[in-house]
Amino acid sequence: MSKIGILTTGGDCSGLNSVIRAAYIRSKILGCELIGIRRGIQGLEHETLDSIKLNDTLCDYSLLGRSGSILLSNTKWMKASIDKGKSLDDIKKQIYEGYKELELNGLICVGGDGSIKLINELLVDNEDINVVVVPKTIDNDVNYTSSSIGFNTVVENVVHQIDCARSTAMSHERTMIVEVMGRGAGFIAMYAGTASGADVILIPEIKYNTENLISKVKSCMHQNGHCIVVVSESVESDDFTHLEKFVDGVLKYTHLEYKGISHHFKKLFKDHGIETRSVVLGHTQRGGDTTANDRIIGSMFGVEAVNLLCRGESGKLLCYNCGKINVENISEVCHSINRSLPADDPVLLTARDMWVYIGEV
Ligand code: F6P
């Protein structure tokens, strides 16, 4: 194994740079060259090939704490390619040609559920491509790994923001709604909400009842003088949906953009006479210093990805469970790669048993 490529794809998160640094150091030790591919899979497509040779200066210790990706990540490339009339086969061919042009012997793809599915498609037709995938996403919605890189840091960030929101909510005797990311999964809301002592945590996996929600908020205001409501961005209600997914029978959107559920709740609470403010944390959640935990998991993933490729293994997904790395075959797991927050999640059960209102469980 003499030349390995590494790319980061999909929404960025903390820990990506730790993976890159560790992969670089391990490659060097094993006598391999590590090539950084810029802007995710777009940079591997033959027409838009874009790579840099990684070196000691680019991959120094400062990468550990730095969020984002030094290799950049383009989330819209696939849609843009399809809009230009390319088929999935065209895209796969372009990726194959890019891999060959760069004379790679292996590829580390740091990505989420979408990339894992694409890599699986790619490997079906191209057995001479060697790929190992490292799971990353703040949403933590990749199955088979208890923690993807980026999740620990986002939870720390959100807890800090909720603590800030609480102090002002207390001074002004208000209800504060904090809207967090997570797409279709409630991990960020449930974990950060529980860690910051939220009174209400609403997630897409559990329906809530408006009457019970209002009653909980009113009782918190009465007992504590303030109330903290944490809500996942994708929560919907009977009279609030995020988008019309089909227009004239055609699926119009491939990438969801949410409409601001916190504003809906703010109006609802105000209509019930509850003094309320809301804050949408948005993309600030993805930045900030990378936690020690994400630095460690990122380093473990980076090293193990190189070790696997150098042992001649391919088509593998690295997972992190109970402090250890385990390896899954992408072909076996990619059909069940997405996950939501399970009903028996220990943090969810803890919140429920502490009488946090988490919907109608
Ligand atoms: O999937 C990660 C994520 O941060 C989601 O939590 C969020 O809904 C989405 O990406 C935002 O995407 P973008 O950066 O394209 O606005």
Side-chain angles (χ1 to χ4, degrees), residues 11 75-76 137-139 181-183 188 233 255 258 283 286:
T75 53
K76 302 281 193 242
T137 162
I138 62 165
D139 306 333
M181 283 183 164
R183 280 211 286 191
I188 299 176
E233 60 184 356
H255 187 83
Y258 298 105
H283 291 78
R286 300 213 300 225

Side-chain angles (χ1 to χ4, degrees), residues 124-236:
V124 170
D125 300 330
N126 303 300
E127 279 173 9
D128 52 339
I129 288 190
N130 302 311
V131 188
V132 170
V133 177
V134 170
K136 66 85 228 178
T137 162
I138 62 165
D139 306 333
N140 210 27
D141 59 354
V142 173
N143 217 348
Y144 303 98
T145 185
S146 65
S147 193
S148 48
I149 48 168
F151 179 60
N152 187 264
T153 303
V154 79
V155 170
E156 284 292 334
N157 276 347
V158 172
V159 167
H160 173 68
Q161 295 297 327
I162 299 173
D163 288 348
C164 294
R166 183 189 290 279
S167 60
T168 173
M170 286 172 79
S171 307
H172 295 280
E173 298 175 283
R174 287 170 176 159
T175 286
M176 188 65 81
I177 304 165
V178 182
E179 179 180 322
V180 303
M181 283 183 164
R183 280 211 286 191
F187 286 95
I188 299 176
M190 187 55 68
Y191 280 60
T194 303
S196 55
D199 305 292
V200 174
I201 303 172
L202 299 177
I203 58 173
E205 292 86 347
I206 303 176
K207 282 202 177 316
Y208 65 91
N209 170 289
T210 304
E211 221 174 286
N212 293 345
L213 170 64
I214 298 290
S215 142
K216 172 72 181 185
V217 173
K218 282 190 170 166
S219 99
C220 281
M221 290 300 290
H222 180 70
Q223 277 174 25
N224 309 328
H226 73 287
C227 178
I228 301 294
V229 176
V230 176
V231 59
S232 269
E233 60 184 356
S234 65
V235 166
E236 295 189 330

Side-chain angles (χ1 to χ4, degrees), residues 8-156:
T8 53
T9 176
D12 73 340
C13 64
S14 281
L16 298 173
N17 289 327
S18 298
V19 181
I20 296 167
R21 174 179 175 271
Y24 170 72
I25 294 173
R26 189 63 187 153
S27 299
K28 197 173 163 191
I29 290 168
L30 295 180
C32 297
E33 191 181 343
L34 188 70
I35 300 292
I37 293 154
R38 285 157 42 93
R39 297 192 183 82
I41 292 176
Q42 176 190 311
L44 189 58
E45 280 194 272
H46 192 249
E47 271 174 15
T48 45
L49 213 54
D50 189 354
S51 65
I52 45 166
K53 192 171 170 339
L54 294 172
N55 59 38
D56 289 347
T57 312
L58 284 171
C59 296
D60 74 1
Y61 71 92
S62 67
L63 286 196
L64 287 165
R66 203 192 308 167
S67 275
S69 168
I70 57 161
L71 295 177
L72 314 177
S73 185
N74 180 355
T75 53
K76 302 281 193 242
W77 69 274
M78 184 111 172
K79 187 175 180 305
S81 296
I82 290 168
D83 287 351
K84 273 191 231 153
K86 281 190 196 167
S87 68
L88 186 58
D89 281 342
D90 297 334
I91 294 170
K92 278 162 53 179
K93 189 165 174 279
Q94 283 278 319
I95 297 172
Y96 181 81
E97 285 171 1
Y99 182 93
K100 291 289 166 191
E101 168 87 24
L102 289 175
E103 298 179 330
L104 299 179
N105 309 107
L107 174 70
I108 300 169
C109 172
V110 191
D113 51 351
S115 328
I116 296 166
K117 287 177 194 158
L118 179 66
I119 294 293
N120 185 53
E121 286 277 338
L122 183 70
L123 291 173
V124 170
D125 300 330
N126 303 300
E127 279 173 9
D128 52 339
I129 288 190
N130 302 311
V131 188
V132 170
V133 177
V134 170
K136 66 85 228 178
T137 162
I138 62 165
D139 306 333
N140 210 27
D141 59 354
V142 173
N143 217 348
Y144 303 98
T145 185
S146 65
S147 193
S148 48
I149 48 168
F151 179 60
N152 187 264
T153 303
V154 79
V155 170
E156 284 292 334

